[in-house]
Amino acid sequence: MALLILLLLLAVSSPATADEDPYIGVNIGTDLSDMPHPTQVVALLKAQQIRHVRLYNADKGMLVALANSGIRVMVSIPNEQLLGIGQSNSTAANWVSRNIVAHYPATNITAICVGSEVLTTLPNAAPLLVNAIKFVHSALVASNLDNQIKVSTPLSSSIILDSFPPSQAFFNRSWNQVLVPMLNFLQSSGSFLMLNIYPYYDYMQSNGVIPLDYALFKPLPPNKEAVDANTLVHYSNVFDAMVDATYFAMAFLNFTNIPVIVTETGWPSKGDSNEPDATIENANTYNSNLIRHVLNKTGTPKRPGIAISTYIYELYNEDMKPGPISEKNWGLFDANGDPVYILRLTGSGSLLANDTTNQTYCTVKEGADPKMLQAALDWACGPGKVDCSPLLQGKPCYEPDNVIAHATYAFDTYYHRMGKTSDACDFNGVADITTTDPSHGSCIFPGSLGRNGTMVNITAPSMNSTSSGSPGRNFYGSGSLTSILVLIKVMLWSVIFF
């Protein structure tokens, strides 16, 4: 299992450049009436092996929670802040100092989205867009972060006109005065063009011209594929056709070496009566096929083998989103972290393998130092107030009688009691979150569905409650405290448990 995860991470954790391995990321919107705490969000991301996320702002709580998580983060400057940043180099520098420099490198920020779909949603700000991008980049240069963090802006695919056949696609010429200097910047800075692609809307607005199977990545016989009459290239899905249209549109303006990254795509799982194809089945089909398509490095007909790193829209259903029902139902999970549907990802590793009823567990990290592990176990059964009586001889979890098995039980119990936050499964780096149930025999772990399908619950404190003793991190560090822990262990085994 650990080897499988390691191989997946190696496959999907590279930067978004055309000659490196692609990855799948997820957008995290926050228009929920009951938005999970940032630590709960990170715990879900870890459990689902999601290693790339895009935030729609630079929320301090999320950036702190993502620190030292191994997750690569794309942050955003909201459209409402664009005017101020585009008009003032110092405002941009202050934003970068406050939201990037203050968190990097603990939080692995890889890119900054300057606005979102500005040309189509906030056209009055368009003249300032390139200035804003350059000001932000200059601030990164001043902090010596421009090689690590790229700057771009997500564009709606609707700015590409005559998108099929792809070979004759071009950008809306009314935006050339913005797009040309922007593409110049992306090329000179080694950044990428960010594109939002929604085959669902293309299908809905096509009045039956686009077949549903073509939008959903479903296999098509050659005679049903779309053919570019100029190149005679066959297209089996909307996604590839739109990406290639983007390449051709850039080439029309003499830009041929700017990579593309898809910052948003997905399919709604529920819709109004006039949206009959917004269904769980179609959402599952689209996202499952998309993930396989990207990670298999299929590429596009114009650039075969060069897959496009892609961010799925989105992690959670956003029940506070205005508009039709479909706007509230693009998520992979609900606010409780339960999957909206079970992705069909056989052969795609453990990424988004959400067929686990969203149960996560805290287990010993492979290769953990035995002495640190013992100290962590001592703390969990002492100041951590874990009921370790099931680990006593003759009790269900005594066997196997070794520190790894006993620590796993104690860690997982503490993790569930603390509400399954990521910080509650650290123990100075010797523990990690997994979706594999560590229960064995008659030893049923907290949160396990057990043998009879009944969940074993532990009461979790509210986000505002406090617990005595140290949190999961930094629970020991001085000689005197270590001595106290040893004493507590002796007392626990000889007095408390009977």
Side-chain angles (χ1 to χ4, degrees):
M1 176 67 179
L3 178 60
L4 176 62
I5 293 174
L6 176 61
L7 291 173
L8 178 66
L9 296 183
L10 291 173
V12 302
S13 61
S14 302
T17 55
D19 58 349
E20 295 185 339
D21 285 341
Y23 60 81
I24 288 288
V26 178
N27 289 275
I28 304 177
T30 57
D31 285 342
L32 284 75
S33 56
D34 188 20
M35 180 67 195
H37 189 277
T39 57
Q40 294 174 310
V41 176
V42 173
L44 177 62
L45 296 173
K46 283 185 171 184
Q48 294 297 324
Q49 300 298 325
I50 298 169
R51 297 303 186 201
H52 294 79
V53 298
R54 176 184 170 218
L55 309 180
Y56 286 96
N57 49 31
D59 179 74
K60 182 178 179 180
M62 275 303 306
L63 292 176
V64 169
L66 286 161
N68 304 309
S69 65
I71 297 171
R72 298 189 175 204
V73 185
M74 187 181 285
V75 300
S76 301
I77 297 174
N79 285 353
E80 57 266 25
Q81 297 180 27
L82 189 63
L83 290 176
I85 288 175
Q87 291 176 323
S88 169
N89 207 339
S90 62
T91 300
N94 288 337
W95 189 93
V96 168
S97 175
R98 186 173 63 253
N99 297 294
I100 305 299
V101 177
H103 298 282
Y104 188 90
T107 302
N108 191 3
I109 300 169
T110 58
I112 301 172
C113 302
V114 181
S116 180
E117 300 189 350
V118 174
L119 302 185
T120 48
T121 63
L122 195 65
N124 290 340
L128 294 171
L129 179 58
V130 175
N131 275 350
I133 292 172
K134 289 182 175 179
F135 288 162
V136 170
H137 181 256
S138 294
L140 292 175
V141 171
S143 298
N144 200 29
L145 293 176
D146 54 303
N147 287 328
Q148 300 94 318
I149 302 173
K150 299 304 179 183
V151 186
S152 187
T153 184
L155 301 174
S156 167
S157 62
S158 65
I159 69 167
I160 300 172
L161 302 183
D162 204 8
S163 59
F164 202 92
S167 61
Q168 63 188 47
F170 58 93
F171 291 116
N172 186 331
R173 291 185 177 89
S174 65
W175 294 119
N176 279 2
Q177 72 273 20
V178 175
L179 288 170
V180 171
M182 186 190 80
L183 292 171
N184 265 318
F185 166 82
L186 297 180
Q187 182 170 263
S188 63
S189 66
S191 189
F192 30 71
L193 185 137
M194 296 176 172
L195 188 68
N196 294 346
I197 299 178
Y198 284 102
Y200 172 74
Y201 290 128
D202 293 330
Y203 163 73
M204 288 288 289
Q205 296 163 8
S206 73
N207 295 319
V209 173
I210 294 178
L212 180 60
D213 287 356
Y214 181 66
L216 292 173
F217 286 98
K218 284 189 174 182
L220 299 174
N223 65 330
K224 296 292 185 180
E225 294 177 340
V227 181
D228 186 321
N230 300 316
T231 62
L232 301 183
V233 167
H234 285 232
Y235 285 90
S236 60
N237 62 79
V238 174
F239 183 91
D240 282 352
M242 188 56 69
V243 171
D244 275 1
T246 306
Y247 286 136
F248 278 108
M250 286 194 287
F252 188 81
L253 296 177
N254 296 315
F255 296 95
T256 58
N257 60 349
I258 300 173
V260 172
I261 184 170
V262 174
T263 37
E264 289 181 18
T265 193
W267 197 281
S269 60
K270 188 178 181 180
D272 289 321
S273 58
N274 62 342
E275 298 177 294
D277 295 298
T279 66
I280 284 178
E281 174 63 24
N282 287 342
N284 193 345
T285 298
Y286 180 82
N287 284 321
S288 296
N289 287 342
L290 167 75
I291 293 170
R292 279 193 294 269
H293 185 68
V294 170
L295 297 185
N296 287 347
K297 306 179 189 178
T298 307
T300 66
K302 179 171 172 57
R303 297 191 177 181
I306 302 177
I308 307 300
S309 293
T310 299
Y311 289 77
I312 294 174
Y313 184 83
E314 56 185 331
L315 185 63
Y316 294 113
N317 277 339
E318 295 185 89
D319 63 314
M320 300 297 288
K321 276 274 190 183
I325 290 177
S326 61
E327 278 298 302
K328 310 173 193 295
N329 288 279
W330 291 80
L332 299 171
F333 298 89
D334 65 20
N336 294 320
D338 296 323
V340 177
Y341 45 86
I342 306 303
L343 288 163
R344 298 185 285 264
L345 295 177
T346 303
S348 295
S350 53
L351 172 70
L352 277 168
N354 64 344
D355 54 348
T356 59
T357 62
N358 195 40
Q359 295 312 301
T360 58
Y361 307 88
C362 182
T363 61
V364 169
K365 184 178 290 185
E366 186 173 342
D369 179 82
K371 291 182 179 179
M372 293 184 67
L373 199 55
Q374 183 64 59
L377 173 60
D378 294 344
W379 181 87
C381 293
K385 295 188 175 181
V386 170
D387 177 11
C388 291
S389 59
L391 301 176
L392 285 172
Q393 189 169 4
K395 297 294 184 180
C397 298
Y398 175 71
E399 296 288 350
D401 182 18
N402 61 61
V403 68
I404 293 176
H406 287 190
T408 292
Y409 179 86
F411 292 176
D412 187 62
T413 304
Y414 180 83
Y415 170 66
H416 279 81
R417 184 163 61 82
M418 298 305 294
K420 298 199 297 183
T421 66
S422 57
D423 279 351
C425 183
D426 183 82
F427 294 93
N428 270 16
V430 297
D432 212 351
I433 295 171
T434 180
T435 56
T436 301
D437 187 349
S439 299
H440 53 89
S442 60
C443 180
I444 306 301
F445 278 53
S448 171
L449 293 180
R451 291 180 172 178
N452 59 3
T454 303
M455 185 171 295
V456 180
N457 288 317
I458 279 190
T459 303
S462 70
M463 298 305 299
N464 297 323
S465 67
T466 58
S467 60
S468 59
S470 302
R473 294 182 188 273
N474 302 319
F475 49 81
Y476 67 94
S478 67
S480 60
L481 180 54
T482 303
S483 300
I484 292 171
L485 291 176
V486 173
L487 178 60
I488 287 173
K489 181 185 178 184
V490 173
M491 294 173 63
L492 282 169
W493 286 92
S494 60
V495 180
I496 296 178
F497 302 142
F498 54 86

